[in-house]
Amino acid sequence: MRFCPFAQRARLVLAAKGINHELVNIDLENEPEWFVEKSPFDAVPVLETSKGQLIYESIIVCDYLDEAFPGKKLNPKDPFQRAQQKMILEHFSKIITVLYNILHAKQNKEDTTGLKSEVQKKLIALDERLGKLNSSFFGGDSVSMIDYMIWPWFERFKLFDVKECLNKTSRLNEWYQRMLQDTAVKATFTEHNLH
């Protein structure tokens, strides 16, 4: 699904590693029968290998692509560094939940002030974590898997009406600007008005 941030995770990894692939977008509101048979959770992305093997769930798909294909490895080799990145992702998943709560509140014409404050608080904590890493990206001096796993929601910050939160998180704002220059991000980027 072209606009799904979870599917974008897989597209980012495919682009970053230069993996030759065929992309099939589907309408999640009107799924074809063949897709329902391939996706046990009725969600995207689903990866079908050249051998007909099916892999689903965005993080699992991305880890598979990183391990199965040559080129730059996006996940760190060191088990502790890999665990650190997974912990950052767990922290970020709490932000994702609040972002969707904002979207639902906006659709219901409810006040989002408290939810936006919660996002700001969580982003400040993420900003502090990036500061402690003392690096340009969450995985070091170059873009890695963790950066790609959280990027799709940053791309949609205008949609969630929280883009101004980056003004209070200088390191995250700088990270955001660096991510916009990444080749894979450029290849998968969708303008706000299309979202």
mmCIF file with all atom_site columns, all heavy atoms in Angstrom, residues 35 37-48 53-62 64:
data_model
loop_
_atom_site.group_PDB
_atom_site.id
_atom_site.type_symbol
_atom_site.label_atom_id
_atom_site.label_alt_id
_atom_site.label_comp_id
_atom_site.label_asym_id
_atom_site.label_entity_id
_atom_site.label_seq_id
_atom_site.pdbx_PDB_ins_code
_atom_site.Cartn_x
_atom_site.Cartn_y
_atom_site.Cartn_z
_atom_site.occupancy
_atom_site.B_iso_or_equiv
_atom_site.pdbx_formal_charge
_atom_site.auth_seq_id
_atom_site.auth_comp_id
_atom_site.auth_asym_id
_atom_site.auth_atom_id
_atom_site.pdbx_PDB_model_num
ATOM 1   N N   . PHE A 1 35 ? -4.329 -11.728 -2.248 1.00 0.00 ? 35 PHE A N   1
ATOM 2   C CA  . PHE A 1 35 ? -3.588 -11.099 -1.162 1.00 0.00 ? 35 PHE A CA  1
ATOM 3   C C   . PHE A 1 35 ? -4.022 -11.647 0.194  1.00 0.00 ? 35 PHE A C   1
ATOM 4   O O   . PHE A 1 35 ? -3.197 -11.906 1.068  1.00 0.00 ? 35 PHE A O   1
ATOM 5   C CB  . PHE A 1 35 ? -3.752 -9.573  -1.188 1.00 0.00 ? 35 PHE A CB  1
ATOM 6   C CG  . PHE A 1 35 ? -3.075 -8.897  -0.028 1.00 0.00 ? 35 PHE A CG  1
ATOM 7   C CD1 . PHE A 1 35 ? -1.696 -8.766  0.018  1.00 0.00 ? 35 PHE A CD1 1
ATOM 8   C CD2 . PHE A 1 35 ? -3.819 -8.432  1.055  1.00 0.00 ? 35 PHE A CD2 1
ATOM 9   C CE1 . PHE A 1 35 ? -1.065 -8.180  1.096  1.00 0.00 ? 35 PHE A CE1 1
ATOM 10  C CE2 . PHE A 1 35 ? -3.189 -7.847  2.139  1.00 0.00 ? 35 PHE A CE2 1
ATOM 11  C CZ  . PHE A 1 35 ? -1.814 -7.715  2.157  1.00 0.00 ? 35 PHE A CZ  1
ATOM 12  N N   . GLU A 1 37 ? -4.996 -14.505 0.880  1.00 0.00 ? 37 GLU A N   1
ATOM 13  C CA  . GLU A 1 37 ? -4.378 -15.830 1.041  1.00 0.00 ? 37 GLU A CA  1
ATOM 14  C C   . GLU A 1 37 ? -2.909 -15.728 1.453  1.00 0.00 ? 37 GLU A C   1
ATOM 15  O O   . GLU A 1 37 ? -2.383 -16.615 2.099  1.00 0.00 ? 37 GLU A O   1
ATOM 16  C CB  . GLU A 1 37 ? -4.496 -16.621 -0.264 1.00 0.00 ? 37 GLU A CB  1
ATOM 17  C CG  . GLU A 1 37 ? -5.926 -17.002 -0.608 1.00 0.00 ? 37 GLU A CG  1
ATOM 18  C CD  . GLU A 1 37 ? -6.052 -17.575 -2.013 1.00 0.00 ? 37 GLU A CD  1
ATOM 19  O OE1 . GLU A 1 37 ? -5.017 -17.883 -2.640 1.00 0.00 ? 37 GLU A OE1 1
ATOM 20  O OE2 . GLU A 1 37 ? -7.194 -17.717 -2.476 1.00 0.00 ? 37 GLU A OE2 1
ATOM 21  N N   . LYS A 1 38 ? -2.242 -14.647 1.084  1.00 0.00 ? 38 LYS A N   1
ATOM 22  C CA  . LYS A 1 38 ? -0.812 -14.488 1.359  1.00 0.00 ? 38 LYS A CA  1
ATOM 23  C C   . LYS A 1 38 ? -0.523 -13.747 2.665  1.00 0.00 ? 38 LYS A C   1
ATOM 24  O O   . LYS A 1 38 ? 0.579  -13.790 3.174  1.00 0.00 ? 38 LYS A O   1
ATOM 25  C CB  . LYS A 1 38 ? -0.130 -13.748 0.203  1.00 0.00 ? 38 LYS A CB  1
ATOM 26  C CG  . LYS A 1 38 ? -0.104 -14.539 -1.094 1.00 0.00 ? 38 LYS A CG  1
ATOM 27  C CD  . LYS A 1 38 ? 0.502  -13.726 -2.220 1.00 0.00 ? 38 LYS A CD  1
ATOM 28  C CE  . LYS A 1 38 ? 0.358  -14.396 -3.557 1.00 0.00 ? 38 LYS A CE  1
ATOM 29  N NZ  . LYS A 1 38 ? 1.222  -15.527 -3.759 1.00 0.00 ? 38 LYS A NZ  1
ATOM 30  N N   . SER A 1 39 ? -1.504 -13.038 3.189  1.00 0.00 ? 39 SER A N   1
ATOM 31  C CA  . SER A 1 39 ? -1.288 -12.202 4.365  1.00 0.00 ? 39 SER A CA  1
ATOM 32  C C   . SER A 1 39 ? -2.171 -12.656 5.524  1.00 0.00 ? 39 SER A C   1
ATOM 33  O O   . SER A 1 39 ? -3.321 -12.232 5.636  1.00 0.00 ? 39 SER A O   1
ATOM 34  C CB  . SER A 1 39 ? -1.593 -10.737 4.024  1.00 0.00 ? 39 SER A CB  1
ATOM 35  O OG  . SER A 1 39 ? -1.444 -9.926  5.156  1.00 0.00 ? 39 SER A OG  1
ATOM 36  N N   . PRO A 1 40 ? -1.634 -13.483 6.410  1.00 0.00 ? 40 PRO A N   1
ATOM 37  C CA  . PRO A 1 40 ? -2.450 -13.999 7.518  1.00 0.00 ? 40 PRO A CA  1
ATOM 38  C C   . PRO A 1 40 ? -3.031 -12.914 8.420  1.00 0.00 ? 40 PRO A C   1
ATOM 39  O O   . PRO A 1 40 ? -4.089 -13.095 9.003  1.00 0.00 ? 40 PRO A O   1
ATOM 40  C CB  . PRO A 1 40 ? -1.483 -14.877 8.310  1.00 0.00 ? 40 PRO A CB  1
ATOM 41  C CG  . PRO A 1 40 ? -0.291 -15.054 7.465  1.00 0.00 ? 40 PRO A CG  1
ATOM 42  C CD  . PRO A 1 40 ? -0.282 -13.984 6.437  1.00 0.00 ? 40 PRO A CD  1
ATOM 43  N N   . PHE A 1 41 ? -2.328 -11.775 8.560  1.00 0.00 ? 41 PHE A N   1
ATOM 44  C CA  . PHE A 1 41 ? -2.822 -10.689 9.401  1.00 0.00 ? 41 PHE A CA  1
ATOM 45  C C   . PHE A 1 41 ? -3.557 -9.635  8.607  1.00 0.00 ? 41 PHE A C   1
ATOM 46  O O   . PHE A 1 41 ? -3.921 -8.594  9.131  1.00 0.00 ? 41 PHE A O   1
ATOM 47  C CB  . PHE A 1 41 ? -1.668 -10.036 10.174 1.00 0.00 ? 41 PHE A CB  1
ATOM 48  C CG  . PHE A 1 41 ? -1.005 -10.959 11.160 1.00 0.00 ? 41 PHE A CG  1
ATOM 49  C CD1 . PHE A 1 41 ? 0.362  -10.939 11.333 1.00 0.00 ? 41 PHE A CD1 1
ATOM 50  C CD2 . PHE A 1 41 ? -1.748 -11.858 11.907 1.00 0.00 ? 41 PHE A CD2 1
ATOM 51  C CE1 . PHE A 1 41 ? 0.980  -11.782 12.236 1.00 0.00 ? 41 PHE A CE1 1
ATOM 52  C CE2 . PHE A 1 41 ? -1.149 -12.709 12.815 1.00 0.00 ? 41 PHE A CE2 1
ATOM 53  C CZ  . PHE A 1 41 ? 0.222  -12.673 12.978 1.00 0.00 ? 41 PHE A CZ  1
ATOM 54  N N   . ASP A 1 42 ? -3.731 -9.897  7.307  1.00 0.00 ? 42 ASP A N   1
ATOM 55  C CA  . ASP A 1 42 ? -4.470 -8.968  6.457  1.00 0.00 ? 42 ASP A CA  1
ATOM 56  C C   . ASP A 1 42 ? -3.818 -7.577  6.474  1.00 0.00 ? 42 ASP A C   1
ATOM 57  O O   . ASP A 1 42 ? -4.506 -6.570  6.620  1.00 0.00 ? 42 ASP A O   1
ATOM 58  C CB  . ASP A 1 42 ? -5.922 -8.900  6.937  1.00 0.00 ? 42 ASP A CB  1
ATOM 59  C CG  . ASP A 1 42 ? -6.863 -8.409  5.861  1.00 0.00 ? 42 ASP A CG  1
ATOM 60  O OD1 . ASP A 1 42 ? -6.554 -8.586  4.671  1.00 0.00 ? 42 ASP A OD1 1
ATOM 61  O OD2 . ASP A 1 42 ? -7.899 -7.817  6.217  1.00 0.00 ? 42 ASP A OD2 1
ATOM 62  N N   . ALA A 1 43 ? -2.484 -7.569  6.388  1.00 0.00 ? 43 ALA A N   1
ATOM 63  C CA  . ALA A 1 43 ? -1.738 -6.311  6.487  1.00 0.00 ? 43 ALA A CA  1
ATOM 64  C C   . ALA A 1 43 ? -0.549 -6.330  5.525  1.00 0.00 ? 43 ALA A C   1
ATOM 65  O O   . ALA A 1 43 ? -0.127 -7.388  5.048  1.00 0.00 ? 43 ALA A O   1
ATOM 66  C CB  . ALA A 1 43 ? -1.241 -6.107  7.918  1.00 0.00 ? 43 ALA A CB  1
ATOM 67  N N   . VAL A 1 44 ? -0.022 -5.148  5.265  1.00 0.00 ? 44 VAL A N   1
ATOM 68  C CA  . VAL A 1 44 ? 1.176  -5.005  4.441  1.00 0.00 ? 44 VAL A CA  1
ATOM 69  C C   . VAL A 1 44 ? 2.323  -4.561  5.333  1.00 0.00 ? 44 VAL A C   1
ATOM 70  O O   . VAL A 1 44 ? 2.082  -3.976  6.396  1.00 0.00 ? 44 VAL A O   1
ATOM 71  C CB  . VAL A 1 44 ? 0.947  -3.987  3.296  1.00 0.00 ? 44 VAL A CB  1
ATOM 72  C CG1 . VAL A 1 44 ? -0.061 -4.510  2.303  1.00 0.00 ? 44 VAL A CG1 1
ATOM 73  C CG2 . VAL A 1 44 ? 0.524  -2.625  3.827  1.00 0.00 ? 44 VAL A CG2 1
ATOM 74  N N   . PRO A 1 45 ? 3.555  -4.854  4.921  1.00 0.00 ? 45 PRO A N   1
ATOM 75  C CA  . PRO A 1 45 ? 3.963  -5.503  3.682  1.00 0.00 ? 45 PRO A CA  1
ATOM 76  C C   . PRO A 1 45 ? 3.980  -7.022  3.808  1.00 0.00 ? 45 PRO A C   1
ATOM 77  O O   . PRO A 1 45 ? 4.058  -7.570  4.896  1.00 0.00 ? 45 PRO A O   1
ATOM 78  C CB  . PRO A 1 45 ? 5.392  -4.993  3.503  1.00 0.00 ? 45 PRO A CB  1
ATOM 79  C CG  . PRO A 1 45 ? 5.919  -4.888  4.903  1.00 0.00 ? 45 PRO A CG  1
ATOM 80  C CD  . PRO A 1 45 ? 4.728  -4.416  5.715  1.00 0.00 ? 45 PRO A CD  1
ATOM 81  N N   . VAL A 1 46 ? 3.906  -7.657  2.652  1.00 0.00 ? 46 VAL A N   1
ATOM 82  C CA  . VAL A 1 46 ? 4.132  -9.084  2.529  1.00 0.00 ? 46 VAL A CA  1
ATOM 83  C C   . VAL A 1 46 ? 5.187  -9.244  1.443  1.00 0.00 ? 46 VAL A C   1
ATOM 84  O O   . VAL A 1 46 ? 5.077  -8.656  0.371  1.00 0.00 ? 46 VAL A O   1
ATOM 85  C CB  . VAL A 1 46 ? 2.852  -9.844  2.125  1.00 0.00 ? 46 VAL A CB  1
ATOM 86  C CG1 . VAL A 1 46 ? 3.158  -11.317 1.870  1.00 0.00 ? 46 VAL A CG1 1
ATOM 87  C CG2 . VAL A 1 46 ? 1.783  -9.687  3.181  1.00 0.00 ? 46 VAL A CG2 1
ATOM 88  N N   . LEU A 1 47 ? 6.208  -10.014 1.755  1.00 0.00 ? 47 LEU A N   1
ATOM 89  C CA  . LEU A 1 47 ? 7.274  -10.281 0.800  1.00 0.00 ? 47 LEU A CA  1
ATOM 90  C C   . LEU A 1 47 ? 7.112  -11.711 0.298  1.00 0.00 ? 47 LEU A C   1
ATOM 91  O O   . LEU A 1 47 ? 6.968  -12.643 1.094  1.00 0.00 ? 47 LEU A O   1
ATOM 92  C CB  . LEU A 1 47 ? 8.642  -10.120 1.470  1.00 0.00 ? 47 LEU A CB  1
ATOM 93  C CG  . LEU A 1 47 ? 9.862  -10.531 0.651  1.00 0.00 ? 47 LEU A CG  1
ATOM 94  C CD1 . LEU A 1 47 ? 10.085 -9.566  -0.506 1.00 0.00 ? 47 LEU A CD1 1
ATOM 95  C CD2 . LEU A 1 47 ? 11.089 -10.599 1.536  1.00 0.00 ? 47 LEU A CD2 1
ATOM 96  N N   . GLU A 1 48 ? 7.094  -11.869 -1.018 1.00 0.00 ? 48 GLU A N   1
ATOM 97  C CA  . GLU A 1 48 ? 7.099  -13.202 -1.606 1.00 0.00 ? 48 GLU A CA  1
ATOM 98  C C   . GLU A 1 48 ? 8.422  -13.359 -2.326 1.00 0.00 ? 48 GLU A C   1
ATOM 99  O O   . GLU A 1 48 ? 8.737  -12.595 -3.235 1.00 0.00 ? 48 GLU A O   1
ATOM 100 C CB  . GLU A 1 48 ? 5.928  -13.397 -2.569 1.00 0.00 ? 48 GLU A CB  1
ATOM 101 C CG  . GLU A 1 48 ? 5.861  -14.804 -3.109 1.00 0.00 ? 48 GLU A CG  1
ATOM 102 C CD  . GLU A 1 48 ? 4.592  -15.089 -3.893 1.00 0.00 ? 48 GLU A CD  1
ATOM 103 O OE1 . GLU A 1 48 ? 3.761  -14.174 -4.069 1.00 0.00 ? 48 GLU A OE1 1
ATOM 104 O OE2 . GLU A 1 48 ? 4.435  -16.246 -4.321 1.00 0.00 ? 48 GLU A OE2 1
ATOM 105 N N   . GLN A 1 53 ? 8.261  -18.239 -1.120 1.00 0.00 ? 53 GLN A N   1
ATOM 106 C CA  . GLN A 1 53 ? 8.170  -18.163 0.337  1.00 0.00 ? 53 GLN A CA  1
ATOM 107 C C   . GLN A 1 53 ? 7.545  -16.825 0.731  1.00 0.00 ? 53 GLN A C   1
ATOM 108 O O   . GLN A 1 53 ? 7.854  -15.794 0.129  1.00 0.00 ? 53 GLN A O   1
ATOM 109 C CB  . GLN A 1 53 ? 9.562  -18.272 0.956  1.00 0.00 ? 53 GLN A CB  1
ATOM 110 C CG  . GLN A 1 53 ? 10.275 -19.570 0.606  1.00 0.00 ? 53 GLN A CG  1
ATOM 111 C CD  . GLN A 1 53 ? 11.779 -19.457 0.796  1.00 0.00 ? 53 GLN A CD  1
ATOM 112 O OE1 . GLN A 1 53 ? 12.400 -18.476 0.394  1.00 0.00 ? 53 GLN A OE1 1
ATOM 113 N NE2 . GLN A 1 53 ? 12.359 -20.484 1.408  1.00 0.00 ? 53 GLN A NE2 1
ATOM 114 N N   . LEU A 1 54 ? 6.693  -16.839 1.742  1.00 0.00 ? 54 LEU A N   1
ATOM 115 C CA  . LEU A 1 54 ? 6.007  -15.620 2.187  1.00 0.00 ? 54 LEU A CA  1
ATOM 116 C C   . LEU A 1 54 ? 6.565  -15.166 3.525  1.00 0.00 ? 54 LEU A C   1
ATOM 117 O O   . LEU A 1 54 ? 6.721  -15.964 4.450  1.00 0.00 ? 54 LEU A O   1
ATOM 118 C CB  . LEU A 1 54 ? 4.507  -15.866 2.316  1.00 0.00 ? 54 LEU A CB  1
ATOM 119 C CG  . LEU A 1 54 ? 3.783  -16.221 1.014  1.00 0.00 ? 54 LEU A CG  1
ATOM 120 C CD1 . LEU A 1 54 ? 2.351  -16.617 1.297  1.00 0.00 ? 54 LEU A CD1 1
ATOM 121 C CD2 . LEU A 1 54 ? 3.836  -15.054 0.046  1.00 0.00 ? 54 LEU A CD2 1
ATOM 122 N N   . ILE A 1 55 ? 6.849  -13.872 3.623  1.00 0.00 ? 55 ILE A N   1
ATOM 123 C CA  . ILE A 1 55 ? 7.339  -13.257 4.858  1.00 0.00 ? 55 ILE A CA  1
ATOM 124 C C   . ILE A 1 55 ? 6.496  -12.007 5.077  1.00 0.00 ? 55 ILE A C   1
ATOM 125 O O   . ILE A 1 55 ? 6.313  -11.209 4.157  1.00 0.00 ? 55 ILE A O   1
ATOM 126 C CB  . ILE A 1 55 ? 8.842  -12.909 4.749  1.00 0.00 ? 55 ILE A CB  1
ATOM 127 C CG1 . ILE A 1 55 ? 9.635  -14.183 4.429  1.00 0.00 ? 55 ILE A CG1 1
ATOM 128 C CG2 . ILE A 1 55 ? 9.345  -12.255 6.031  1.00 0.00 ? 55 ILE A CG2 1
ATOM 129 C CD1 . ILE A 1 55 ? 10.989 -13.922 3.856  1.00 0.00 ? 55 ILE A CD1 1
ATOM 130 N N   . TYR A 1 56 ? 5.985  -11.841 6.284  1.00 0.00 ? 56 TYR A N   1
ATOM 131 C CA  . TYR A 1 56 ? 5.147  -10.679 6.580  1.00 0.00 ? 56 TYR A CA  1
ATOM 132 C C   . TYR A 1 56 ? 5.561  -10.064 7.901  1.00 0.00 ? 56 TYR A C   1
ATOM 133 O O   . TYR A 1 56 ? 6.384  -10.614 8.618  1.00 0.00 ? 56 TYR A O   1
ATOM 134 C CB  . TYR A 1 56 ? 3.659  -11.052 6.576  1.00 0.00 ? 56 TYR A CB  1
ATOM 135 C CG  . TYR A 1 56 ? 3.334  -12.291 7.360  1.00 0.00 ? 56 TYR A CG  1
ATOM 136 C CD1 . TYR A 1 56 ? 3.028  -12.215 8.716  1.00 0.00 ? 56 TYR A CD1 1
ATOM 137 C CD2 . TYR A 1 56 ? 3.335  -13.539 6.749  1.00 0.00 ? 56 TYR A CD2 1
ATOM 138 C CE1 . TYR A 1 56 ? 2.733  -13.343 9.440  1.00 0.00 ? 56 TYR A CE1 1
ATOM 139 C CE2 . TYR A 1 56 ? 3.042  -14.683 7.472  1.00 0.00 ? 56 TYR A CE2 1
ATOM 140 C CZ  . TYR A 1 56 ? 2.743  -14.587 8.819  1.00 0.00 ? 56 TYR A CZ  1
ATOM 141 O OH  . TYR A 1 56 ? 2.461  -15.711 9.532  1.00 0.00 ? 56 TYR A OH  1
ATOM 142 N N   . GLU A 1 57 ? 4.976  -8.908  8.208  1.00 0.00 ? 57 GLU A N   1
ATOM 143 C CA  . GLU A 1 57 ? 5.326  -8.032  9.330  1.00 0.00 ? 57 GLU A CA  1
ATOM 144 C C   . GLU A 1 57 ? 6.569  -7.226  8.958  1.00 0.00 ? 57 GLU A C   1
ATOM 145 O O   . GLU A 1 57 ? 7.617  -7.785  8.662  1.00 0.00 ? 57 GLU A O   1
ATOM 146 C CB  . GLU A 1 57 ? 5.534  -8.796  10.640 1.00 0.00 ? 57 GLU A CB  1
ATOM 147 C CG  . GLU A 1 57 ? 4.257  -9.324  11.245 1.00 0.00 ? 57 GLU A CG  1
ATOM 148 C CD  . GLU A 1 57 ? 3.249  -8.228  11.558 1.00 0.00 ? 57 GLU A CD  1
ATOM 149 O OE1 . GLU A 1 57 ? 3.526  -7.330  12.372 1.00 0.00 ? 57 GLU A OE1 1
ATOM 150 O OE2 . GLU A 1 57 ? 2.159  -8.263  10.966 1.00 0.00 ? 57 GLU A OE2 1
ATOM 151 N N   . SER A 1 58 ? 6.444  -5.919  8.997  1.00 0.00 ? 58 SER A N   1
ATOM 152 C CA  . SER A 1 58 ? 7.465  -5.025  8.429  1.00 0.00 ? 58 SER A CA  1
ATOM 153 C C   . SER A 1 58 ? 8.862  -5.239  8.988  1.00 0.00 ? 58 SER A C   1
ATOM 154 O O   . SER A 1 58 ? 9.832  -5.305  8.230  1.00 0.00 ? 58 SER A O   1
ATOM 155 C CB  . SER A 1 58 ? 7.049  -3.559  8.583  1.00 0.00 ? 58 SER A CB  1
ATOM 156 O OG  . SER A 1 58 ? 6.963  -3.192  9.940  1.00 0.00 ? 58 SER A OG  1
ATOM 157 N N   . ILE A 1 59 ? 9.012  -5.357  10.278 1.00 0.00 ? 59 ILE A N   1
ATOM 158 C CA  . ILE A 1 59 ? 10.348 -5.510  10.854 1.00 0.00 ? 59 ILE A CA  1
ATOM 159 C C   . ILE A 1 59 ? 10.960 -6.853  10.450 1.00 0.00 ? 59 ILE A C   1
ATOM 160 O O   . ILE A 1 59 ? 12.142 -6.931  10.118 1.00 0.00 ? 59 ILE A O   1
ATOM 161 C CB  . ILE A 1 59 ? 10.319 -5.343  12.387 1.00 0.00 ? 59 ILE A CB  1
ATOM 162 C CG1 . ILE A 1 59 ? 9.924  -3.908  12.729 1.00 0.00 ? 59 ILE A CG1 1
ATOM 163 C CG2 . ILE A 1 59 ? 11.648 -5.711  13.023 1.00 0.00 ? 59 ILE A CG2 1
ATOM 164 C CD1 . ILE A 1 59 ? 9.629  -3.671  14.189 1.00 0.00 ? 59 ILE A CD1 1
ATOM 165 N N   . ILE A 1 60 ? 10.134 -7.898  10.430 1.00 0.00 ? 60 ILE A N   1
ATOM 166 C CA  . ILE A 1 60 ? 10.624 -9.221  10.027 1.00 0.00 ? 60 ILE A CA  1
ATOM 167 C C   . ILE A 1 60 ? 11.027 -9.209  8.556  1.00 0.00 ? 60 ILE A C   1
ATOM 168 O O   . ILE A 1 60 ? 12.072 -9.743  8.178  1.00 0.00 ? 60 ILE A O   1
ATOM 169 C CB  . ILE A 1 60 ? 9.554  -10.295 10.322 1.00 0.00 ? 60 ILE A CB  1
ATOM 170 C CG1 . ILE A 1 60 ? 9.290  -10.349 11.831 1.00 0.00 ? 60 ILE A CG1 1
ATOM 171 C CG2 . ILE A 1 60 ? 9.977  -11.657 9.789  1.00 0.00 ? 60 ILE A CG2 1
ATOM 172 C CD1 . ILE A 1 60 ? 8.064  -11.161 12.226 1.00 0.00 ? 60 ILE A CD1 1
ATOM 173 N N   . VAL A 1 61 ? 10.217 -8.573  7.705  1.00 0.00 ? 61 VAL A N   1
ATOM 174 C CA  . VAL A 1 61 ? 10.546 -8.453  6.284  1.00 0.00 ? 61 VAL A CA  1
ATOM 175 C C   . VAL A 1 61 ? 11.879 -7.720  6.113  1.00 0.00 ? 61 VAL A C   1
ATOM 176 O O   . VAL A 1 61 ? 12.759 -8.157  5.369  1.00 0.00 ? 61 VAL A O   1
ATOM 177 C CB  . VAL A 1 61 ? 9.418  -7.718  5.512  1.00 0.00 ? 61 VAL A CB  1
ATOM 178 C CG1 . VAL A 1 61 ? 9.871  -7.306  4.115  1.00 0.00 ? 61 VAL A CG1 1
ATOM 179 C CG2 . VAL A 1 61 ? 8.172  -8.588  5.435  1.00 0.00 ? 61 VAL A CG2 1
ATOM 180 N N   . CYS A 1 62 ? 12.041 -6.619  6.827  1.00 0.00 ? 62 CYS A N   1
ATOM 181 C CA  . CYS A 1 62 ? 13.263 -5.810  6.689  1.00 0.00 ? 62 CYS A CA  1
ATOM 182 C C   . CYS A 1 62 ? 14.495 -6.557  7.189  1.00 0.00 ? 62 CYS A C   1
ATOM 183 O O   . CYS A 1 62 ? 15.560 -6.514  6.553  1.00 0.00 ? 62 CYS A O   1
ATOM 184 C CB  . CYS A 1 62 ? 13.099 -4.482  7.422  1.00 0.00 ? 62 CYS A CB  1
ATOM 185 S SG  . CYS A 1 62 ? 11.859 -3.415  6.655  1.00 0.00 ? 62 CYS A SG  1
ATOM 186 N N   . TYR A 1 64 ? 14.858 -9.787  7.253  1.00 0.00 ? 64 TYR A N   1
ATOM 187 C CA  . TYR A 1 64 ? 15.108 -10.829 6.254  1.00 0.00 ? 64 TYR A CA  1
ATOM 188 C C   . TYR A 1 64 ? 15.876 -10.249 5.061  1.00 0.00 ? 64 TYR A C   1
ATOM 189 O O   . TYR A 1 64 ? 16.875 -10.822 4.614  1.00 0.00 ? 64 TYR A O   1
ATOM 190 C CB  . TYR A 1 64 ? 13.794 -11.462 5.780  1.00 0.00 ? 64 TYR A CB  1
ATOM 191 C CG  . TYR A 1 64 ? 13.993 -12.360 4.587  1.00 0.00 ? 64 TYR A CG  1
ATOM 192 C CD1 . TYR A 1 64 ? 14.400 -13.680 4.754  1.00 0.00 ? 64 TYR A CD1 1
ATOM 193 C CD2 . TYR A 1 64 ? 13.817 -11.875 3.289  1.00 0.00 ? 64 TYR A CD2 1
ATOM 194 C CE1 . TYR A 1 64 ? 14.620 -14.502 3.654  1.00 0.00 ? 64 TYR A CE1 1
ATOM 195 C CE2 . TYR A 1 64 ? 14.030 -12.684 2.190  1.00 0.00 ? 64 TYR A CE2 1
ATOM 196 C CZ  . TYR A 1 64 ? 14.436 -13.999 2.373  1.00 0.00 ? 64 TYR A CZ  1
ATOM 197 O OH  . TYR A 1 64 ? 14.675 -14.796 1.271  1.00 0.00 ? 64 TYR A OH  1
#
